[in-house]
Amino acid sequence: MKIRVLGAAAGGGFPQWNCNCHNCKGFRDGTVNAKPRTQSSICISSDEGNWLLLNASPDIRAQLASFSPLQPARQLRDTGIAAILLMDGQIDHCSGLLMLREGCPLDVYCTDPVFEDLSRGFPIFPMLNFDTWNGGFRRQPLSLETEPGFLIPAIQNLRIHAMPLTSKAPPYSPHRDHPVSGDNIGLFIEDLSSGGTLFYAPGLGAIEPHLLPWMQRADCLMVDGTLWRDDEMIRQEVGVQLGTQMGHLPQSGPGGMLEVLDRLPADRKVLIHINNTNPILNEDSSEHAALKQHGVEVAWDGMEITL
């Protein structure tokens, strides 16, 4: 299984276009040693010809331009994207579908709550399902925690298990403050040829008992890296909520992501969906050094992992 990180940042990317926080200002004036990052998305493949896109960020056009296997190559107009799977209905994870309309029809896998949100609150499916878009996006249902998982016909040798995460629905959703199962999911993906396994959860807001067996089996963990501290955005005066109130588990502190990752046997442990305020973006920071001591990596645009 080949994994390509198309975008590693949280909503707004890094540096965020309207932000003058320490990281963003420092990146622009050259005093912070960091890589720019677009909004989070990855793609995976078992044959490096047909790719499953996990989330479609607003930066998808630039991300496609940066990765030739997703570009047209087989006929006059085509793409290496064989299917799309949405982890949630957050705008920074699905609005890139609008940029892919010329490539329709495409199968989009998502849960019922996400499909409902993207049919009513942010109606991408109705907007792009007309004949003018060559058949639009064909929604494929995604069920949770069914054994023995499911296969996507266009993607060879990848078996996928989806499990619910306790997190927030998008701000536009009618159940924003009343979450339902399927608002946000994690994935366990197994390559049936190589045996390599990935646990992917960019919106992991809590370590729930039903997730741990999957996390313990994974060769690679790619999980929420939004914030270093729970009160990070409040301290930096760019927000008024704790990370946990927004559905993100911070890296530091008791019960934080680092403490959890220390107990898990995965060969690779990678943080993704990193907010522009997070000090781990600064490669000279003590927080970035702490991650290295724990054997944890920070995802970056263009990062590749083979399992």
Side-chain angles (χ1 to χ4, degrees):
M1 174 178 7
K2 178 78 76 172
I3 304 163
R4 169 80 176 203
V5 176
L6 299 173
F14 174 73
Q16 185 168 306
W17 66 276
N18 68 333
C19 188
N20 205 32
C21 72
H22 173 78
N23 279 348
C24 293
K25 181 179 184 299
F27 177 84
R28 293 189 187 100
D29 63 25
T31 60
V32 166
N33 178 21
K35 298 179 179 71
R37 288 166 167 88
T38 57
Q39 295 167 93
S40 76
S41 174
I42 68 171
C43 60
I44 59 175
S45 177
S46 61
D47 60 11
E48 300 189 49
N50 298 290
W51 293 82
L52 175 62
L53 179 67
L54 299 180
N55 292 332
S57 93
D59 300 315
I60 186 66
R61 190 177 183 280
Q63 293 168 349
L64 296 180
S66 72
F67 189 46
S68 60
L70 299 184
Q71 298 168 14
R74 294 144 291 268
Q75 51 188 326
L76 186 60
R77 288 191 173 185
D78 75 346
T79 176
I81 300 171
I84 302 167
L85 191 155
L86 300 178
M87 309 295 293
D88 54 50
Q90 300 289 346
I91 288 175
D92 57 318
H93 283 163
C94 67
S95 58
L97 293 174
L98 296 168
M99 304 300 109
L100 298 177
R101 61 191 182 276
E102 293 91 353
C104 291
L106 280 170
D107 288 334
V108 178
Y109 291 76
C110 63
T111 63
D112 288 344
V114 170
F115 180 64
E116 179 182 349
D117 282 342
L118 295 182
S119 298
R120 298 180 181 178
F122 184 35
I124 285 180
F125 281 108
M127 283 192 291
L128 298 181
N129 255 348
F130 299 105
D131 292 338
T132 51
W133 302 119
N134 301 314
F137 293 104
R138 300 177 300 208
R139 187 262 172 149
Q140 303 294 339
L142 191 158
S143 57
L144 299 175
E145 294 195 279
T146 56
E147 290 293 346
F150 66 94
L151 304 176
I152 292 178
I155 311 290
Q156 297 295 314
N157 295 318
L158 294 183
R159 182 163 58 199
I160 301 172
H161 299 262
M163 62 282 303
L165 305 181
T166 297
S167 189
K168 288 276 193 177
Y172 66 83
S173 172
H175 41 95
R176 168 70 171 179
D177 297 315
H178 307 282
V180 299
S181 179
D183 281 334
N184 193 319
I185 62 170
L187 298 177
F188 181 86
I189 304 172
E190 179 182 8
D191 187 317
L192 298 177
S193 295
S194 71
T197 53
L198 167 71
F199 179 85
Y200 181 59
L204 184 60
I207 307 300
E208 301 171 85
H210 71 279
L211 301 177
L212 282 172
W214 298 108
M215 298 177 77
Q216 289 165 346
R217 287 176 55 188
D219 297 317
C220 177
L221 297 163
M222 190 171 285
V223 295
D224 192 330
T226 307
L227 302 172
W228 178 258
R229 301 175 58 108
D230 197 23
D231 62 352
E232 182 175 306
M233 296 185 70
I234 298 172
R235 280 174 170 260
Q236 298 199 32
E237 300 181 344
V238 296
V240 296
Q241 287 186 306
L242 299 173
T244 47
Q245 291 175 317
M246 297 183 288
H248 301 293
L249 182 67
Q251 283 101 64
S252 63
M257 193 68 77
L258 282 185
E259 188 176 281
V260 173
L261 293 178
D262 280 344
R263 300 196 298 264
L264 296 170
D267 297 324
R268 302 283 298 269
K269 301 172 184 180
V270 183
L271 299 177
I272 195 168
H273 193 270
I274 304 154
N275 199 57
N276 61 291
T277 57
N278 195 326
I280 64 174
L281 291 171
N282 182 350
E283 297 179 22
D284 297 329
S285 68
S286 59
E287 292 86 357
H288 190 91
L291 290 186
K292 288 186 176 181
Q293 292 174 353
H294 287 267
V296 176
E297 303 171 66
V298 183
W300 45 276
D301 292 21
M303 183 183 201
E304 292 189 347
I305 297 172
T306 301
L307 300 173

